[in-house]
Amino acid sequence: MAKDPVRVLVTGAAGQIGYALVPMIARGVMLGSDQPVILHLFDIPPAAESLNGVKMELVDAAFPLLKGVVATTDAVEACTGVNIAVMVGGFPRKEGMERKDVMSKNVSIYKSQASALEKHAAANCKVLVVANPANTNALILKEFAPSIPEKNISCLTRLDHNRALGQISERLNIQVSDVKNVIIWGNHSSSQYPDVNHATVTTPAGEKPVRELVADDAWLNSEFIATVQQRGAAIIKARKLSSALSAASAACDHIRDWVLGTPEGIWVSMGVYSDGSYNVPAGLIYSFPVTTQNGEWKIVQGLAIDEFSRKKLDLTAEELSEEKALAYSCLS
């Protein structure tokens, strides 16, 4: 029996990530090859013409799973009835801008979009924040959409998770699908901690720890971490544009695993509302290792944290606490 279409909102849909993301959703990459979708595309009024061009291309692509497109600059129309919201739109930091200026712009954007989602989205709508500062934007959204359960609001650190998988596979010259259970802890920023202490590789001789196979702790504890932390900047340097293709792909991975579940024995990284696990202050949106089942995520518990890792977890938590204070100061 045919499934009912799922309504998926993409904000900032006329931008680079949006342009890469919407065909992936329409092709079934996000929700599966048997799940029809109706796309809700939202952007600011100056982007209205470009947004309409994206809608035209979606029509021209004749995606069998795409059952409708709503392209609008009206937040209420965009949010009405949506089951999944991917918040790509935000105010980017420009040269010469202070962090507080950027935070202030994004606080006002996420405050207004939170209230539109709260009033008009479908019950149990799942929200993924992509726009930076992603963790704190998600926290603001949670603050101003109190009726959306905190477990339904997350931010994207899957891009960093995938980058870490990619670096290990390149280093060992193996298939990326043979590497699993890296972790991104903390903020989607250069303070994040890419952790391979629990990661393994599938080899002909069975599962082997990444640390054992790489056999270079100096690289894993310095260059590897820095490469993952700074990968976004490296792509901007190479392309003169920020990473869009990989960000869109990671957003699809994030939602797909959240909705359809993680495979047995595999965890992924998601920015979720901290409950105090691993001594991370409660009340932050922080990236943890999670497993998912029946549309619900659960933080993986009981992983050993060594002294090196503890410092890294605390450092990124401190940055998030500072961001939270800065965001809240923009509200007063």
Side-chain angles (χ1 to χ4, degrees), residues 29-176:
V29 175
M30 179 180 276
L31 293 169
S33 58
D34 62 343
Q35 178 58 65
V37 292
I38 295 170
L39 278 168
H40 287 227
L41 311 181
F42 174 77
D43 218 311
I44 54 175
E49 198 175 351
S50 176
L51 188 65
N52 194 45
V54 176
K55 180 179 178 177
M56 288 159 69
E57 286 206 71
L58 285 167
V59 170
D60 294 350
F63 293 111
L65 289 172
L66 186 58
K67 302 304 178 189
V69 181
V70 176
T72 183
T73 58
D74 178 83
V76 171
E77 187 185 5
C79 293
T80 299
V82 297
N83 309 102
I84 290 164
V86 185
M87 316 301 282
V88 181
F91 193 89
R93 188 170 183 176
K94 294 177 179 167
E95 215 171 331
M97 282 186 82
E98 294 294 325
R99 274 180 76 228
K100 178 148 187 182
D101 300 334
V102 186
M103 190 68 81
S104 170
K105 296 268 190 201
N106 280 297
V107 163
S108 67
I109 290 169
Y110 277 83
K111 190 175 166 183
S112 71
Q113 292 183 2
S115 67
L117 275 172
E118 177 166 60
K119 291 187 185 113
H120 304 286
N124 210 29
C125 175
K126 287 180 162 54
V127 184
L128 167 61
V129 177
V130 176
N132 288 321
N135 301 57
T136 301
N137 284 343
L139 194 62
I140 293 298
L141 196 142
K142 180 206 160 292
E143 196 69 26
F144 287 96
S147 72
I148 298 178
E150 61 197 32
K151 67 181 173 53
N152 282 20
I153 295 172
S154 65
C155 82
L156 187 71
T157 56
R158 184 60 174 269
L159 176 55
D160 311 295
H161 182 99
N162 289 349
R163 285 168 171 165
L165 292 174
Q167 288 305 304
I168 297 299
S169 81
E170 293 274 292
R171 178 78 176 192
L172 294 174
N173 197 23
I174 56 172
Q175 296 297 314
V176 72

Side-chain angles (χ1 to χ4, degrees), residues 2-326:
K3 293 182 173 179
D4 290 333
V6 170
R7 291 182 180 269
V8 182
L9 166 66
V10 177
T11 71
Q16 265 225 101
I17 295 173
Y19 188 71
L21 177 60
V22 294
M24 293 182 186
I25 301 170
R27 202 176 274 288
V29 175
M30 179 180 276
L31 293 169
S33 58
D34 62 343
Q35 178 58 65
V37 292
I38 295 170
L39 278 168
H40 287 227
L41 311 181
F42 174 77
D43 218 311
I44 54 175
E49 198 175 351
S50 176
L51 188 65
N52 194 45
V54 176
K55 180 179 178 177
M56 288 159 69
E57 286 206 71
L58 285 167
V59 170
D60 294 350
F63 293 111
L65 289 172
L66 186 58
K67 302 304 178 189
V69 181
V70 176
T72 183
T73 58
D74 178 83
V76 171
E77 187 185 5
C79 293
T80 299
V82 297
N83 309 102
I84 290 164
V86 185
M87 316 301 282
V88 181
F91 193 89
R93 188 170 183 176
K94 294 177 179 167
E95 215 171 331
M97 282 186 82
E98 294 294 325
R99 274 180 76 228
K100 178 148 187 182
D101 300 334
V102 186
M103 190 68 81
S104 170
K105 296 268 190 201
N106 280 297
V107 163
S108 67
I109 290 169
Y110 277 83
K111 190 175 166 183
S112 71
Q113 292 183 2
S115 67
L117 275 172
E118 177 166 60
K119 291 187 185 113
H120 304 286
N124 210 29
C125 175
K126 287 180 162 54
V127 184
L128 167 61
V129 177
V130 176
N132 288 321
N135 301 57
T136 301
N137 284 343
L139 194 62
I140 293 298
L141 196 142
K142 180 206 160 292
E143 196 69 26
F144 287 96
S147 72
I148 298 178
E150 61 197 32
K151 67 181 173 53
N152 282 20
I153 295 172
S154 65
C155 82
L156 187 71
T157 56
R158 184 60 174 269
L159 176 55
D160 311 295
H161 182 99
N162 289 349
R163 285 168 171 165
L165 292 174
Q167 288 305 304
I168 297 299
S169 81
E170 293 274 292
R171 178 78 176 192
L172 294 174
N173 197 23
I174 56 172
Q175 296 297 314
V176 72
S177 53
D178 288 335
V179 189
K180 70 177 187 185
N181 295 351
V182 298
I183 303 168
I184 302 298
W185 298 98
N187 199 0
H188 175 61
S189 75
S190 57
S191 79
Q192 65 177 257
Y193 173 43
D195 175 5
V196 297
N197 288 329
H198 309 279
T200 60
V201 174
T202 304
T203 76
E207 301 271 318
K208 301 277 185 193
V210 162
R211 272 203 186 271
E212 185 186 305
L213 292 178
V214 170
D216 187 343
D217 282 353
W219 181 79
L220 283 171
N221 290 346
S222 58
E223 192 184 328
F224 162 75
I225 292 172
T227 299
V228 176
Q229 288 174 333
Q230 304 290 341
R231 187 67 162 184
I235 287 165
I236 290 173
K237 190 163 181 262
R239 284 193 76 228
K240 313 296 179 270
L241 294 163
S242 61
S243 39
L245 178 160
S246 53
S249 182
C252 287
D253 290 344
H254 177 114
I255 295 287
R256 187 186 61 246
D257 286 340
W258 192 1
V259 172
L260 301 178
T262 45
E264 187 68 34
I266 290 182
W267 63 64
V268 293
S269 301
M270 278 174 71
V272 297
Y273 197 65
S274 170
D275 61 357
S277 292
Y278 295 101
N279 293 325
V280 170
L284 298 174
I285 300 262
Y286 189 99
S287 182
F288 288 97
V290 302
T291 55
T292 59
Q293 199 177 7
N294 302 323
E296 308 267 331
W297 54 264
K298 204 162 124 193
I299 296 171
V300 176
Q301 297 293 343
L303 297 174
I305 305 292
D306 63 18
E307 194 183 343
F308 177 85
S309 298
R310 183 71 258 164
K311 285 181 179 151
K312 297 281 189 192
L313 264 72
D314 292 345
L315 194 68
T316 189
E318 276 168 35
E319 183 183 61
L320 279 168
S321 296
E322 285 166 20
E323 272 188 24
K324 179 179 178 178
L326 187 59

